[in-house]
């Protein structure tokens, strides 16, 4: 499930539909997307996979009630539009998933939410589930070309939004120059076993990296196997791996204090408690999105040089950042890749179970604190 907040007001169906991939960051397939609204403003999106077969009425109602619970996490929401993405064949009498949409719509309305419209988006055409006027909603549907030519879509493109064709799951065809030299550094540093002092120095290297331009840093790292290897090697330390999102999203100084306290005292500290609350999304304050984005760019850039434990660590870090942004679908894709590559990697197992509960971080349900990078905002 995904949530991405903005404050967009679009009145025509083509414009509303055109915004969905921009808000999600990718083009959904076989999905139900709930566009959460306050008055006429589009506030957030929720996405779930469509059921692969008929769930039956009781199960569909349970799913609809679960969706209502997510809407209630946005206290100012008063309505929603539904967008079904599917290439299932329609019958002469009704659109595919009509009963599913009817049940969800009814449940939303019973709970006080208005549902202005619901649409089906296929490969080349789109339809309204509500409109029966053949003069505006013909049986054969309306072409998606109007969606791609809408003012809303063109504005997002001009602002630099470019949704992915599909979710990125951590796999790609990029390479890293001199990767063997990087792996030799990783192996040597892990074999040295310098203890907690080296662990702290490793975290400080990452904290220093977060203060730099990530693209420029990656360029230097590609030419310097020693520095690249040093960053990757310390990711085998769980405390460094777990502290990095906190270091970026809260404060690198706080992360260092938490790590030092854990290593020196072997127990809980106030800083560690704050770290835990932050990682679980319980913090009310907005994360430092610029620093988290630098961690995202750096982590993704280093993935081609990562292997084994450090690759799993990066996938989990990137997955957590996606979740922090409200992109639970992207988070799940990254965690799933980690679990395929190493089914026993403990953090991936825990994150997978956490994501399955469908919870969003507290800051993602508040328009003032939620990540808005997907909408071209600062």
């Amino acid at each position: 499930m995904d949530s991405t907040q903005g404050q967009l007001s679009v009145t025509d169906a083509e414009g509303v539909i055109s915004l969905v991939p921009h808000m999600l960051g990718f083009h959904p397939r076989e999905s139900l997307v709930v566009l959460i609204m306050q008055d006429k403003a589009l506030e957030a999106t929720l996405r779930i996979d469509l059921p692969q077969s008929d769930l039956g009425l009781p199960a569909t109602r349970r799913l609809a009630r679960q969706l209502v619970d997510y809407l209630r996490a946005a206290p100012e929401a008063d309505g929603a539009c539904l967008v079904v993405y599917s290439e299932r064949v329609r019958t002469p009498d009704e659109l595919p998933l009509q009963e599913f949409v009817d049940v969800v719509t009814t449940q939303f309305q019973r709970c006080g939410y208005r549902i202005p419209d619901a649409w089906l988006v296929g490969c080349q055409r789109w339809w309204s589930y509500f409109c029966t006027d053949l003069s505006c909603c013909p049986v054969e549907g309306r072409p998606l070309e109007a969606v791609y030519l809408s003012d809303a879509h063109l504005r997002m493109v001009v602002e630099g939004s470019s949704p992915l064709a599909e979710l990125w799951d951590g796999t790609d065809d990029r390479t890293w120059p001199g990767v063997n030299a990087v792996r030799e550094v990783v192996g040597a540093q892990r074999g040295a076993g310098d203890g907690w002092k080296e662990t702290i120095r490793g975290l400080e290297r990452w904290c220093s990296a977060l203060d730099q331009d990530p693209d420029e840093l990656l360029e230097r790292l590609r030419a310097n196997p020693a520095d690249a290897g040093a960053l990757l090697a310390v990711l085998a330390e769980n405390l460094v791996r777990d502290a990095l999102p906190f270091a970026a999203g809260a404060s690198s100084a706080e992360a260092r204090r938490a790590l030092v306290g854990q290593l020196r005292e072997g127990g809980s500290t106030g800083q560690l408690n704050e770290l835990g609350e932050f990682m679980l999304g319980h913090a009310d304050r907005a994360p430092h999105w610029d620093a988290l984005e630098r961690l995202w760019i750096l982590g993704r850039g280093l993935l081609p040089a990562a292997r084994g434990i450090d690759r799993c660590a990066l996938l989990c870090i990137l997955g957590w950042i996606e979740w922090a942004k409200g992109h639970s679908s992207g988070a799940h894709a990254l965690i799933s890749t980690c679990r395929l590559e190493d089914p026993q990697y403990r953090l991936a197992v825990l994150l997978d179970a956490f994501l399955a509960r469908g919870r969003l971080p507290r800051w993602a349900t508040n328009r003032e604190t939620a990540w808005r990078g997907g909408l071209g905002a600062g």
Side-chain angles (χ1 to χ4, degrees), residues 170 311 362:
R311 176 172 166 81
R362 190 175 297 169

Side-chain angles (χ1 to χ4, degrees), residues 21 25-29 162-168:
F26 66 98
H27 291 273
R29 299 177 182 177
S162 180
L164 300 173
E166 57 187 22
L167 278 172
W168 180 62

Side-chain angles (χ1 to χ4, degrees), residues 236-269:
E237 298 292 339
N238 292 345
L239 284 169
V240 174
R241 175 202 64 196
D242 298 344
L244 272 178
F246 183 67
S251 162
S252 60
E254 291 175 59
R256 284 197 294 271
R257 286 197 298 271
L259 182 60
V260 171
Q262 174 66 51
L263 290 175
R264 285 180 175 170
E265 301 173 18
S268 178
T269 67

Side-chain angles (χ1 to χ4, degrees), residues 194-339:
D194 289 337
W196 68 269
K197 290 184 179 180
E198 180 56 34
T199 299
I200 293 175
R201 284 194 292 269
L203 177 61
E204 290 174 338
R205 290 191 196 99
W206 273 96
C207 290
S208 174
L210 293 175
D211 292 329
Q212 303 176 48
D213 180 282
D215 293 318
E216 294 179 0
L217 176 58
L218 283 167
E219 191 66 27
R220 294 195 298 272
L221 290 175
R222 290 186 184 98
N224 192 326
D227 288 349
L231 286 174
L232 290 173
V234 76
L235 292 178
E237 298 292 339
N238 292 345
L239 284 169
V240 174
R241 175 202 64 196
D242 298 344
L244 272 178
F246 183 67
S251 162
S252 60
E254 291 175 59
R256 284 197 294 271
R257 286 197 298 271
L259 182 60
V260 171
Q262 174 66 51
L263 290 175
R264 285 180 175 170
E265 301 173 18
S268 178
T269 67
Q271 288 79 17
L272 279 177
N273 290 335
E274 187 175 354
L275 185 155
E277 290 294 295
F278 178 81
M279 295 300 291
L280 291 172
H282 293 168
D284 289 313
R285 66 181 179 180
H288 296 300
W289 291 119
D290 288 345
L292 271 180
E293 191 65 10
R294 289 194 291 272
L295 178 57
W296 167 270
I297 295 171
L298 181 57
R300 179 167 183 175
L302 280 168
L303 263 183
R307 301 288 187 273
I309 294 175
D310 45 284
R311 176 172 166 81
C312 285
L314 284 177
L315 287 170
C316 287
I317 290 169
L318 295 173
W320 184 91
I321 295 174
E322 280 286 84
W323 174 77
K325 292 176 178 179
H327 293 172
S328 295
S329 295
H332 180 71
L334 290 162
I335 300 306
S336 294
T337 295
C338 182
R339 295 204 64 187

Side-chain angles (χ1 to χ4, degrees), residues 74-226:
E76 296 179 343
D78 58 14
C81 290
L82 310 179
V83 190
V84 173
Y85 288 83
S86 180
E87 297 182 16
R88 302 180 195 188
V89 179
R90 64 162 295 165
T91 68
D93 299 326
E94 66 178 18
L95 296 174
L97 297 154
Q98 180 74 61
E99 183 177 352
F100 174 78
V101 170
D102 289 344
V103 172
V104 173
T105 299
T106 299
Q107 187 66 43
F108 281 14
Q109 291 171 335
R110 286 176 176 172
C111 294
Y113 295 100
R114 57 188 176 83
I115 309 295
D117 211 337
W119 302 287
L120 169 68
V121 178
C123 182
Q124 299 294 332
R125 310 186 77 80
W126 67 273
W127 297 260
S128 170
Y129 281 103
F130 291 179
C131 182
T132 58
D133 185 349
L134 296 181
S135 65
C136 68
C137 295
V139 174
E140 67 274 14
R142 299 174 64 177
L144 282 178
E145 181 181 8
V147 171
Y148 300 133
L149 293 177
S150 68
D151 290 342
H153 173 70
L154 295 176
R155 182 183 64 179
M156 296 303 295
V157 171
V158 169
E159 292 181 1
S161 177
S162 180
L164 300 173
E166 57 187 22
L167 278 172
W168 180 62
D169 64 357
T171 59
D172 54 43
D173 57 0
R174 293 176 302 168
T175 59
W176 187 278
V179 67
N180 291 335
V182 173
R183 300 314 305 173
E184 288 178 3
V185 172
V186 173
Q189 292 209 6
R190 288 183 186 163
D194 289 337
W196 68 269
K197 290 184 179 180
E198 180 56 34
T199 299
I200 293 175
R201 284 194 292 269
L203 177 61
E204 290 174 338
R205 290 191 196 99
W206 273 96
C207 290
S208 174
L210 293 175
D211 292 329
Q212 303 176 48
D213 180 282
D215 293 318
E216 294 179 0
L217 176 58
L218 283 167
E219 191 66 27
R220 294 195 298 272
L221 290 175
R222 290 186 184 98
N224 192 326

